[in-house]
Amino acid sequence: MHDHPNILLATDLSARSDRPFDRAASLARELGGSITLVHVLEPGAAPRGPAGMDELRATILEDLPDAGVPIHLLIERGSAPSLIAEAADREGSDLIVVGAARYNNITDFFLGTAVDYLVRHAHVPVLVVKRRAAHAYRDILIATDFSACALEATRVAAEIFPHARLNLVHAYRGAYESRLNPDEVRAEAHAEAERELGDFVSSPELAAARPRLHTQLEVGPLASVILARLRAQPIDLLVLGTHGRSPIVHAALGSRASDLLESMPCDVLMVRERAREG
C-alpha cells in the first residue's frame, strides 16, 4: 500500500450509497489518503455531449458530503464491473470500495457478475460495505486455511487496518465416527491444527501484525464456524482470501458461501491472492 493510499469508490449515487461513501471517507482520513469516485452510466443513458457531462459532474460534486480528503471524480459509460477494475489500475488505487445499492438485493450483489468480476480481475482488495460507518473497524475476523491465499488476506488486512484487533479463525475436521478411538483422533486433529496455526502465525509476512493476532481453532465446516463467530463476537469486518481465477463461491467458502454471504451481518473484505513470480 502507498504512503498516501488511493481508495476507489464505485457508486450509483442512490440513497444507500452513503454507506460506502462514509466508509471510504473514514478509511481515507485514517490512512492519510484520497478517494477516486467512479460513477458508471449505462450505455445510452443521459447526458450526452461535453456540456451534459460537465453539468452532471458539477451536480455530483456539489451534492457530495464533505469527506475531509481529496476526491477525484470519474464518470464512465459502459459495463460497470470492467470499468471499475480498469479505473483502479489506471488510478493506481490500493482498495476498491463498493456497496449493495445498485443491485436488486444483497444476494444478487454478492453472487452476481459485479463483485465476482471484481474479485477475479481487480488487482487490489475489494471491500463490500453493508453497515453504516459508525466507527473505524475495531474487530476483524479473518478466515484461514493456512494457504498462501489466506496469508495474503491476513497480511493485507493488517496493513489496511493498522489498529484493529485481528481475530484469526481456522476450522478443522474432527473425529470420524468410523474410527475406533474418536477421542484420540480428535486430539490428533487438534494438535495438527495447532502446529499449522503456529507455523502460519510465525510467517515473516505477519511479523508486524503478530501482536494484534488472536487465534481461534474450531471444529466444523468453515461457513458454520464463521457464522457462529459473527454471532458470538462484535465483529465489524470479515476478511476472505480468494483465488484470482476462481468464482467467489468456490474460492472463499465452498458450496455454502451463498448462504453465508446472504446472511452476513457485517462488511466483508475480499483479498485476491497475488500471482506468483517465476
Side-chain angles (χ1 to χ4, degrees), residues 65 137 152 213 229-230:
Y137 293 131
E152 176 68 0
L213 288 176
R229 289 296 90 204
L230 291 177

Side-chain angles (χ1 to χ4, degrees), residues 171-238:
Y172 67 97
R173 294 182 177 181
Y176 293 96
E177 294 181 1
S178 60
R179 299 297 292 267
L180 295 177
N181 191 337
D183 291 337
E184 181 178 336
V185 174
R186 277 193 294 268
E188 290 178 358
H190 185 81
E192 178 62 21
E194 280 191 326
R195 285 192 294 270
E196 291 183 299
L197 180 60
D199 291 341
F200 185 86
V201 172
S202 298
S203 301
E205 294 89 339
L206 302 182
R210 205 165 293 137
R212 294 189 287 132
L213 288 176
H214 301 266
T215 59
Q216 302 167 351
L217 290 174
E218 302 282 353
V219 178
L222 180 57
S224 299
V225 167
I226 287 177
L227 282 172
R229 289 296 90 204
L230 291 177
R231 296 188 184 111
Q233 295 178 242
I235 298 298
D236 303 309
L237 177 69
L238 172 64

Side-chain angles (χ1 to χ4, degrees), residues 44-68:
R48 293 185 178 278
M53 292 296 286
D54 289 344
E55 183 178 352
L56 176 61
R57 180 181 300 275
T59 299
I60 292 174
L61 291 175
E62 183 179 351
D63 291 343
L64 287 178
D66 181 13

